[in-house]
Amino acid sequence: MIEIELDGQKVQVPEGSMVMHAADKAGSYIPHFCYHKKLSIAANCRMCLVDVEKAPKPMPACATPVTNGMIVRTKSDKAIKAQQSVMEFLLINHPLDCPICDQGGECQLQDLAVGYGGSASRYQEEKRVVLHKDVGPLISMEEMSRCIHCTRCVRFGQEVAGVMELGMIHRGEHSEITTVLGDTVDSEVSGNMIDLCPVGALTSKPFRYSARPWELSRRKSVSPHDSEGANLIVQVKNNKVLRVLPFENNDVNECWLADRDRFSYEALNGNERLTAPMLKQGGEWKTVDWQTALEYVANGLKQVKQQHGAKAIGLLASPHSTVEELFLAAQVLRGLGSENIDYRLRNAEFTTNEGASQDAPAVRWLGTTIASLSTLQGALVVGSNLRKDHPLFALRMRYAVRTGAKLSVIHDRDDDWAMNIAGKSIVPAGQWTQVLADVATAIGNEKGSKAPLQGNATDAAKAIAATLLSGERKAILLGNAAAHHPSASSLLALASWIADQIGATVGYLTEAANTVGAQLVKALPGQGGLNAGQMLAGGLKAAILLNNEPEFDSAAGAKGAAAIGQADMVVTLSPFKANMDISDVLLPIAPWTETPGTFVNAEGRVQGFHAVVKPLAETRPGWKVLRVLANLLGLPGFEYESSQDVLEAARGKADAGQDLVQGGLLSNKTSAAAWLGDTNARPVSAAIYQLDSIVRRAPSLQLTADARVANEVAA
């Protein structure tokens, strides 16, 4: 540690730190624009000039290394005058358009100009003009004359996103940030550039001119999409969500958001929202009141049970639903006497997890903490395009690779991961088991052990094995396609054996916001119950669809939707006008912004959230709808007054009153034997902007390059 004196205060910082780091530790603010704690040091803006004793001129705090005994003054006349001079230069060309700027009210330049700017400019020359650029549906670069060339956006693309989509061309007053070739910005995390921009040069295109920052209420929430469980700040005006920003949590999403989390809110204000219960009568949809709709459902379920037995009733649940909704859905179905409930809509294999019981489910999870992904020294990812399936996990993995980690991939597509891949095997999905067996054999040869399934130690297998045999902190991660694979248990068995041999963790990246929570509350078929694949094959007389659309959310696709549509009664609970061609009843339930709830992310972190706006029109929270339906069915034990009561009941079922997730409940152990399986297997995984019903209805996301490619493939 090195000790320096900063504004008369002794501060100890690690060797190699900059003066800016010491100031942060001491709680002393130094004005800056280009410096950001998650980016490399550029020292572009010079706003952080400070007075260093014995230095002939002011020094940039962000780029001046500390030395033992250094004396720094950040508030001396010399430092203040230097900072004021820099501000004067920055404002020479900056347009005088604060009243119409979207960044007004949260602009770093505006804030610092108050303290360090002059009352008038000494420069009389014309201000420069930079032409606007069209870089896609998410980021607005209409006002690039405001840019102060801090290059935060450029460095973010290079260092964090892994794709240099923006850069600086020309010199002096002709310098400008651009895509150079006129391309669009297509990164799946591009929206973070908006947050990083300290002025109004890069702004949110969907939010543009919608509201002023001081008009917005800010409420904390959790992302309902992938399994990261990103922490959010949802900004609201007039009971309408207008913007979503990251809430910093270094253990989960750091200070970043995926574009899927940031812009999906548009769907919540769209025309496809279901605003009142609807019944199909004579082939036409009619709006009814809640009492009529719920009585119709309750009577229909009673009639099906009486005529065909409880086993003719089934429920397909989305793993994007809350813990409370999934728990009550399972309780309602089991109260009717049926075990036909499942959330695994895209799976091709349905097995009981080892160690699972009625009271203690064995829950598939990440196998390690999310934060630990940044410190891995070796990793093997099977069956995932990590960058598109789990964008924020990819950021952590990219950081690990940049700091020396060796990453290997087994997949059926040679995707651009925007990071160095040390070992790669791109083969059809049906051959993944063979490739993993080959890797196990190569590792077994090195360790003197016999692999559970003998393979061939090919050159590709040896290359992957080499990346796993070096280093200490290692992980084998099974992606969405591996979880949905017809040989999923075999892949897990081989991965577990390899992990035991090399001292690595093994786990699933998990697909949805609440995949882990769905397992905890046993939204799974019990003894004699039908799994999702069996229900989607047809045969149900009454089907309940909780927050999902079988055509888009299941492995069976349109065939599954048609099979469900053959039931005597199909009930859809959704925030949107979904499944209208196969349903008999539509019940509008609240999306994540309009209901309290809980998600459990891939690492088993329990994250609760509150409603940030009131439910739209006649929409009701899903847990309330299920509770009232249970009451109309005459089922006992549904006297819940709040979502907290439901969560407490779910806790009781999961682990007898302790925290919802205990180490003993999280288990990726398997007793399944490794086998080659179906060599024609083609697991189903959702494209980045087709993951759930919300992102599918977000207009700006559907205009992105990723969405266009996915739609072309689907067509």
Side-chain angles (χ1 to χ4, degrees):
M1 298 293 283
I2 291 176
E3 185 175 88
I4 72 168
E5 181 182 310
L6 192 140
D7 292 338
Q9 179 181 351
K10 299 289 185 182
V11 185
Q12 287 190 337
V13 290
E15 187 176 356
S17 298
M18 302 296 160
V19 171
M20 185 71 81
H21 301 142
D24 287 343
K25 187 172 182 180
S28 180
Y29 178 74
I30 299 175
H32 61 274
F33 293 112
C34 68
Y35 170 78
H36 190 278
K37 62 184 177 183
K38 295 290 185 180
L39 303 177
S40 64
I41 292 169
N44 288 336
C45 72
R46 319 305 283 185
M47 191 64 211
C48 64
L49 293 176
V50 293
D51 180 6
V52 178
E53 192 169 276
K54 297 182 181 178
K57 59 182 180 179
M59 304 293 287
C62 68
T64 303
V66 295
T67 57
N68 214 30
M70 175 185 278
I71 299 175
V72 180
R73 300 179 184 89
T74 69
K75 304 292 189 293
S76 67
D77 286 343
K78 185 178 180 180
I80 296 295
K81 286 179 180 178
Q83 292 160 2
Q84 289 174 339
S85 296
V86 170
M87 177 59 70
E88 186 175 18
F89 276 109
L90 286 174
L91 293 177
I92 289 174
N93 275 311
H94 198 79
L96 301 174
D97 61 353
C98 290
I100 63 153
C101 179
D102 249 12
Q103 196 89 344
E106 53 187 10
C107 175
Q108 226 173 312
L109 181 66
Q110 196 176 51
D111 292 342
L112 293 180
V114 173
Y116 301 91
S119 58
S121 174
R122 291 183 290 172
Y123 292 85
Q124 303 300 317
E125 292 80 8
E126 291 183 358
K127 292 180 179 287
R128 75 173 195 152
V129 175
V130 181
L131 293 179
H132 70 272
K133 299 159 182 67
D134 184 1
V135 294
L138 305 180
I139 299 177
S140 172
M141 294 180 72
E142 293 290 319
E143 310 292 346
M144 289 306 293
S145 298
R146 299 169 183 160
C147 179
I148 61 170
H149 306 148
C150 69
T151 69
R152 280 185 176 183
C153 55
V154 177
R155 283 176 286 146
F156 171 81
Q158 283 181 291
E159 300 162 14
V160 182
V163 185
M164 187 177 174
E165 295 179 298
L166 294 178
M168 183 183 289
I169 59 173
H170 305 312
R171 301 182 66 186
E173 72 168 6
H174 302 292
S175 299
E176 61 177 288
I177 301 292
T178 178
T179 57
V180 181
L181 298 177
D183 298 327
T184 55
V185 174
D186 299 322
S187 168
E188 63 284 350
V189 289
S190 64
N192 293 292
M193 296 179 185
I194 300 168
D195 296 338
L196 288 171
C197 185
V199 295
L202 304 182
T203 54
S204 168
K205 190 171 280 187
F207 174 71
R208 188 171 166 83
Y209 298 144
S210 296
R212 287 299 195 179
W214 55 84
E215 298 176 312
L216 300 170
S217 300
R218 294 161 175 78
R219 285 112 190 224
K220 186 180 175 186
S221 192
V222 179
S223 169
H225 304 302
D226 62 34
S227 59
E228 176 95 16
N231 290 197
L232 314 173
I233 293 293
V234 182
Q235 299 190 334
V236 176
K237 178 184 177 184
N238 295 335
N239 205 47
K240 185 177 180 181
V241 176
L242 292 184
R243 187 163 62 165
V244 173
L245 299 176
F247 180 85
E248 186 170 351
N249 185 337
N250 283 322
D251 291 331
V252 183
N253 57 302
E254 301 177 278
C255 58
W256 312 123
L257 273 190
D259 290 348
R260 183 163 57 192
D261 303 325
R262 184 184 299 271
F263 297 107
S264 65
Y265 73 87
E266 283 189 292
L268 306 178
N269 307 321
N271 296 328
E272 288 196 52
R273 281 297 301 273
L274 181 63
T275 56
M278 300 181 76
L279 292 180
K280 187 185 286 183
Q281 296 178 341
E284 294 186 3
W285 285 103
K286 296 185 179 180
T287 300
V288 297
D289 59 71
W290 270 105
Q291 187 69 23
T292 301
L294 288 174
E295 286 180 354
Y296 180 91
V297 173
N299 292 334
L301 293 174
K302 289 176 183 177
Q303 187 174 348
V304 169
K305 181 178 178 180
Q306 183 179 3
Q307 294 178 355
H308 305 283
K311 292 186 177 180
I313 303 171
L315 190 150
L316 293 171
S318 167
H320 299 277
S321 301
T322 65
V323 165
E324 294 81 354
E325 290 166 349
L326 291 166
F327 172 74
L328 284 181
Q331 295 304 104
V332 167
L333 207 68
R334 293 189 168 107
L336 286 168
S338 174
E339 290 288 343
N340 305 334
I341 178 171
D342 208 345
Y343 74 91
R344 300 168 296 178
L345 305 183
R346 292 191 175 100
N347 283 32
E349 182 189 78
F350 302 90
T351 56
T352 302
N353 298 350
E354 183 187 352
S357 68
Q358 188 66 30
D359 298 319
V363 175
R364 300 292 188 236
W365 67 301
L366 187 62
T368 184
T369 63
I370 291 173
S372 70
L373 297 179
S374 300
T375 61
L376 289 176
Q377 295 173 325
L380 169 61
V381 178
V382 182
S384 175
N385 177 4
L386 190 67
R387 182 179 163 193
K388 303 300 181 182
D389 291 347
H390 300 89
L392 297 181
F393 287 166
L395 297 191
R396 288 190 178 274
M397 196 68 75
R398 190 172 294 114
Y399 178 83
V401 170
R402 285 180 60 224
T403 53
K406 295 180 179 179
L407 172 65
S408 295
V409 177
I410 298 174
H411 200 31
D412 60 355
R413 298 193 312 272
D414 194 6
D415 300 306
D416 178 11
W417 281 41
M419 65 184 94
N420 291 328
I421 307 295
K424 184 187 294 184
S425 184
I426 307 300
V427 297
Q431 298 176 26
W432 290 351
T433 312
Q434 181 64 63
V435 171
L436 211 51
D438 294 345
V439 174
T441 300
I443 289 174
N445 292 343
E446 291 289 330
K447 293 286 187 177
S449 305
K450 185 178 180 180
L453 181 64
Q454 198 62 30
N456 302 311
T458 62
D459 290 343
K462 288 178 181 177
I464 293 174
T467 66
L468 295 173
L469 288 166
S470 61
E472 295 180 1
R473 298 182 298 277
K474 293 169 284 192
I476 300 177
L477 302 170
L478 302 174
N480 297 345
H484 302 156
H485 201 282
S487 306
S489 59
S490 185
L491 292 173
L492 177 59
L494 284 165
S496 298
W497 185 88
I498 293 171
D500 289 340
Q501 295 295 311
I502 63 174
T505 62
V506 62
Y508 286 95
L509 293 166
T510 71
E511 179 182 36
N514 208 23
T515 299
V516 174
Q519 297 172 78
L520 282 164
V521 299
K522 292 191 67 62
L524 294 159
Q527 188 67 34
L530 300 178
N531 60 48
Q534 293 167 326
M535 286 187 271
L536 287 163
L540 292 178
K541 295 298 181 182
I544 302 172
L545 304 176
L546 176 60
N547 211 13
N548 68 85
E549 299 168 271
E551 182 176 353
F552 307 108
D553 293 325
S554 75
K559 290 182 179 179
I564 290 293
Q566 297 301 312
D568 294 344
M569 183 175 73
V570 179
V571 182
T572 293
L573 290 82
S574 172
F576 304 102
K577 297 172 183 175
N579 305 319
M580 295 190 76
D581 53 337
I582 62 171
S583 297
D584 300 293
V585 187
L586 297 180
L587 302 178
I589 61 170
W592 58 283
T593 52
E594 298 170 18
T595 179
T598 307
F599 292 137
V600 185
N601 71 2
E603 67 175 352
R605 183 182 295 268
V606 182
Q607 300 188 112
F609 54 90
H610 298 287
V612 299
V613 292
K614 295 177 182 177
L616 179 67
E618 292 299 310
T619 300
R620 296 290 181 268
W623 70 268
K624 284 189 177 181
V625 174
L626 291 165
R627 182 203 64 191
V628 175
L629 178 59
N631 294 337
L632 291 174
L633 287 167
L635 303 179
F638 285 85
E639 292 78 32
Y640 304 110
E641 295 295 327
S642 67
S643 64
Q644 190 63 34
D645 292 343
V646 181
L647 181 61
E648 290 300 325
R651 282 184 171 140
K653 287 287 181 184
D655 57 13
Q658 302 299 317
D659 289 339
L660 187 60
V661 181
Q662 292 180 322
L665 296 176
L666 301 173
S667 172
N668 294 317
K669 291 182 179 179
T670 179
S671 58
W675 55 287
L676 283 178
D678 181 7
T679 54
N680 295 316
R682 295 188 67 184
V684 175
S685 289
I688 183 170
Y689 299 132
Q690 295 293 323
L691 182 64
D692 57 63
S693 59
I694 298 178
V695 293
R696 283 196 294 269
R697 291 172 170 83
S700 295
L701 292 179
Q702 295 307 316
L703 293 173
T704 60
D706 280 328
R708 291 198 304 271
V709 169
N711 292 335
E712 289 170 5
V713 170

